[in-house]
Amino acid sequence: MKLAGAFAFFWILFNGYNLYNSLIKKNSEEERNDIHNELLEMCRMMSPSAVGKTMMILFACVFAFDCIGFYLTYTYAYAAANHFYVRIILFIAFIVVFSVEQIMSFRQTIKISVALKIPNIKDDVLKRFMRMTERDMDFINTIASVAKFVAALQLVLYTILSTAD
C-alpha cells in the first residue's frame, strides 16, 4: 500500500504538470520553435535514427508509467467500491480516451522520427510537419490529460488519504 501511495503521489504530480501544460500553458509558437530547435540540435549530436529510437523509448516509458497508474487506480479505487457499474463506465471512458491519445501520439512519434531520417530535410519543412501533426493532437491531449489527472487523483484519494484514518 505504501508503494502504491508513493506511485500515486508521483503520478499525480506528473499528470498535474501535463494538465497544466495542456490547459493553461498551451504550447505557443515560440515553444514549438524551441522544441524544433532542440530536436535539430539533438540530430547534430546523435544520428537521426538514434533520436528516433530515444523518442520511442521515452514514449514507451511514459506509456508504461500511465498503464501502471491505471492498473493501480482500478485495483484501489474501482474494484472494491460501491456503485461499481457507474464507476467502471467512467473508468472505461478514461481508458478509451487514454488509448486513443496513445495511438495518435505513437503515430505522431513515428512520423517525426521518420521525418528526421530524411537526408537534408529543410528546417522549415520539418517545422511545418511538426506543427501539422501537433495541431491534430491538441484536443485529444487536453481530454486525455484531464482523464489521467482525475484517475491519478482517485488513486491518491484511495491510497494515501484513505490510509491516513
Side-chain angles (χ1 to χ4, degrees):
M1 185 69 133
K2 289 185 181 192
L3 185 60
F7 183 87
F9 178 72
F10 287 115
W11 198 42
I12 198 165
L13 288 178
F14 181 74
N15 287 317
Y17 177 74
N18 284 339
L19 185 63
Y20 170 74
N21 277 338
S22 295
L23 292 178
I24 298 170
K25 200 172 175 186
K26 296 269 188 191
N27 286 340
S28 64
E29 189 65 33
E30 198 173 279
E31 289 178 34
R32 289 182 179 167
N33 287 338
D34 289 342
I35 292 170
H36 170 262
N37 292 337
E38 290 173 11
L39 197 56
L40 288 178
E41 188 63 34
M42 283 175 47
C43 286
R44 288 186 191 113
M45 292 190 297
M46 303 183 329
S47 69
S49 62
V51 172
K53 287 178 186 175
T54 304
M55 287 173 61
M56 294 303 293
I57 289 170
L58 288 173
F59 175 82
C61 290
V62 171
F63 179 73
F65 189 63
D66 285 336
C67 286
I68 292 169
F70 277 113
Y71 172 75
L72 290 174
T73 301
Y74 175 78
T75 302
Y76 288 102
Y78 289 98
N82 296 335
H83 308 297
F84 179 74
Y85 295 112
V86 174
R87 297 181 68 141
I88 201 70
I89 289 172
L90 178 67
F91 186 73
I92 289 171
F94 289 167
I95 294 297
V96 167
V97 168
F98 171 72
S99 299
V100 168
E101 189 248 351
Q102 290 302 308
I103 290 168
M104 291 178 70
S105 293
F106 183 70
R107 195 182 97 211
Q108 178 187 19
T109 303
I110 294 286
K111 284 182 177 181
I112 290 175
S113 64
V114 167
L116 287 173
K117 293 178 185 175
I118 298 173
N120 301 328
I121 189 168
K122 298 198 186 266
D123 288 348
D124 58 337
V125 174
L126 182 61
K127 192 181 298 186
R128 196 171 340 120
F129 180 75
M130 288 174 64
R131 194 176 318 117
M132 284 183 344
T133 56
E134 286 176 355
R135 190 176 340 123
D136 299 338
M137 296 291 296
D138 286 343
F139 178 72
I140 193 68
N141 277 344
T142 302
I143 299 298
S145 294
V146 170
K148 288 190 288 187
F149 183 77
V150 170
L153 180 63
Q154 289 176 342
L155 184 60
V156 166
L157 291 174
Y158 280 90
T159 55
I160 296 174
L161 298 181
S162 68
T163 58
D165 295 341

